[in-house]
Amino acid sequence: MPTNLLSRNPVSSAPTTPPARKRSRGAIFKAVLGIIVVFAVVVGIKALQIVKMTHMAMTPPPTTVSSTVVKEEEWAPTLSSVGSVSAVQGAVVSTELGGVVAEVRFQNGGVAKKDDVLVRLDTSSEEAQLKTAQADVDLARNDLARAHDLAARKVISRAELDAAESKFKQKQGTVDNMRAMMTKKELRAPFDGQLGIRQVNVGQMINAGQQVVSLQALDPVFVDFALPQQYLGHLSQGLEVKVKTDAAPGREFVGKLTAINSAVDPVTRNVALQATLENHEGALHPGLFAKVEVVLPEKNKTLVIPGSAVSYAPFGDSVYVIEKKQDEKTKSDTQVLRQAFVRVGEARGDFVSITQGVKAGDTIVGTGVFKLRNGIPVVINNDLAPKPQENPKPPDT
């Protein structure tokens, strides 16, 4: 009986899945698959974009620069040095004798003419002694006249006449000495010139040699300077000399080389030179520091550019030459930079001379070279470009 029952109602060992659950699992699988496909497509697109960007040439936008042209000019070679201004005639007027200052007859910074009395010392004692000496002279003169009369009549001997003549000369010499001392107590200007600030006052007791006031002749003036011995063969009297000083900013004084020392300094191997300059306005004063340039007679053709166009560096100075170059893709002409190393010569104002590296007519970058590099494209705009000058005069100086 049990066996029959079992055979009638068999029981399956595997579990059965309802149809609704199967449909839910299929939907989830399709959704996940769709997300994976979308993500793969997005990643693929971005990967293609990155690869394309890495293979593209990154061309920077053109840089705006100002330009200038290398010019060939005739520059007269110059020899530069520094020196000092000195007066053609200058002295610190001093007293020869001591005494008390009785009178000062000049104003500080005034002008004096030759033989003008500057200071007078007290001479009351000398004046009293002069009266006594003058009385002795008068007595000796009368004695000499009587001696001549007596000698003519053979009353006195020749020796007595000689003694009278000697006595008169001694007394006269005493008077002359007193007058000379009184003259020396009047301090006079030895030449025409401009006075400085007095160093004595009325009533002051001064000694012999006391400095009273500086007296300088300011027109013309000398400029004393020196140059190395290797330039001695290029120098001759009469060469043009240009002088600048901080005391007169923006001005240039022109004179002539008037003296070349006959010997070279054995220590410095420099030769001392002296130039003479007119100074009608009195702008140059003795003792001023001066920058000196001796202009040589010959002139050389020189390549000239603004100093702002040079990029100075320890490994070498350079400029950026602007050249035209055809774009390989667009076939249009563009302007690019080529760095050219140069050798810089002397400077004059805002300009410098170039001895090697460029040629006349080359177009180069004029300013802002520190921000540039070789090969970059540029656009020229000279609207705000500065104008260099050989003799610049800044308005704020």
Side-chain angles (χ1 to χ4, degrees):
M1 191 68 183
T3 306
N4 295 331
L5 291 174
L6 292 173
S7 61
R8 289 180 183 179
N9 299 305
V11 180
S12 176
S13 61
T16 61
T17 302
R21 184 176 297 180
K22 289 183 179 180
R23 288 194 297 271
S24 175
R25 288 181 179 180
I28 294 174
F29 175 77
K30 291 180 179 178
V32 172
L33 182 61
I35 293 174
I36 294 174
V37 171
V38 171
F39 181 77
V41 171
V42 172
V43 170
I45 293 173
K46 291 297 181 181
L48 291 176
Q49 291 178 346
I50 293 174
V51 171
K52 186 177 180 180
M53 291 177 63
T54 56
H55 286 81
M56 290 177 60
M58 298 298 294
T59 303
T63 303
T64 302
V65 297
S66 63
S67 66
T68 186
V69 178
V70 181
K71 298 180 180 179
E72 187 177 57
E73 299 180 357
E74 288 189 349
W75 275 16
T78 59
L79 303 177
S80 301
S81 182
V82 294
S84 299
V85 179
S86 62
V88 173
Q89 285 186 310
V92 178
V93 184
S94 304
T95 59
E96 190 173 349
L97 299 175
V100 178
V101 178
E103 187 178 3
V104 177
R105 295 187 179 180
F106 68 90
Q107 296 293 328
N108 292 340
V111 177
K113 298 293 183 180
K114 184 178 180 180
D115 292 331
D116 285 353
V117 177
L118 303 178
V119 173
R120 188 177 63 84
L121 303 181
D122 180 51
T123 58
S124 57
S125 176
E126 287 79 3
E127 289 175 357
Q129 294 177 19
L130 179 61
K131 293 179 180 179
T132 301
Q134 187 63 52
D136 291 341
V137 169
D138 294 340
L139 178 60
R141 183 182 294 108
N142 293 334
D143 291 343
L144 179 59
R146 284 191 293 269
H148 277 290
D149 182 59
L150 294 175
R153 290 183 291 165
K154 306 295 183 181
V155 176
I156 60 175
S157 63
R158 181 64 185 177
E160 290 176 321
L161 178 60
D162 293 342
E165 290 180 350
S166 177
K167 181 180 179 181
F168 172 73
K169 291 179 180 180
Q170 289 177 0
K171 298 301 182 181
Q172 186 64 49
T174 302
V175 171
D176 294 341
N177 183 46
M178 296 301 300
R179 288 176 177 170
M181 291 181 63
M182 293 175 63
T183 301
K184 289 181 179 180
K185 288 199 171 184
E186 285 186 345
L187 190 62
R188 296 178 180 270
F191 49 83
D192 297 348
Q194 184 173 354
L195 296 166
I197 300 175
R198 70 183 185 185
Q199 302 181 30
V200 297
N201 296 302
V202 176
Q204 180 180 348
M205 179 68 184
I206 61 177
N207 299 321
Q210 170 72 40
Q211 295 182 350
V212 176
V213 66
S214 172
L215 179 64
Q216 307 289 332
L218 299 182
D219 188 25
V221 293
F222 290 144
V223 176
D224 301 315
F225 60 102
L227 285 172
Q229 63 180 8
Q230 59 262 34
Y231 299 127
L232 187 58
H234 301 281
L235 300 174
S236 62
Q237 293 185 2
L239 291 179
E240 183 180 6
V241 176
K242 297 180 180 180
V243 175
K244 294 181 181 179
T245 177
D246 295 338
R251 295 186 60 183
E252 185 176 73
F253 302 88
V254 180
K256 298 292 183 182
L257 182 64
T258 52
I260 302 174
N261 198 15
S262 58
V264 176
D265 190 329
V267 178
T268 62
R269 306 302 178 186
N270 291 339
V271 58
L273 305 170
Q274 190 175 76
T276 304
L277 288 76
E278 293 183 354
N279 189 31
H280 301 311
E281 300 177 4
L284 299 176
H285 291 262
L288 285 178
F289 173 82
K291 299 177 182 178
V292 186
E293 287 187 351
V294 180
V295 182
L296 299 181
E298 65 270 12
K299 291 186 177 181
N300 300 327
K301 290 185 177 180
T302 307
L303 298 179
V304 180
I305 63 173
S308 58
V310 181
S311 175
Y312 299 95
F315 54 82
D317 304 329
S318 61
V319 298
Y320 286 94
V321 181
I322 302 175
E323 297 180 333
K324 290 185 177 180
K325 184 179 179 181
Q326 190 178 46
D327 191 295
E328 297 180 355
K329 294 183 178 179
T330 62
K331 303 301 180 180
S332 61
D333 291 337
T334 59
Q335 293 175 321
V336 297
L337 298 183
R338 176 177 61 84
Q339 187 177 21
F341 287 92
V342 295
R343 182 169 295 177
V344 180
E346 67 173 308
R348 293 188 183 179
D350 295 333
F351 294 96
V352 295
S353 63
I354 301 297
T355 60
Q356 184 179 347
V358 292
K359 62 182 182 296
D362 284 348
T363 302
I364 62 175
V365 177
T367 57
V369 293
F370 61 91
K371 65 180 180 179
L372 306 177
R373 64 180 185 275
N374 193 30
I376 65 173
V378 294
V379 175
I380 297 177
N381 186 353
N382 292 324
D383 293 341
L384 301 178
K387 296 180 180 180
Q389 301 176 2
E390 189 171 342
N391 294 308
K393 296 180 181 179
D396 57 345
T397 59

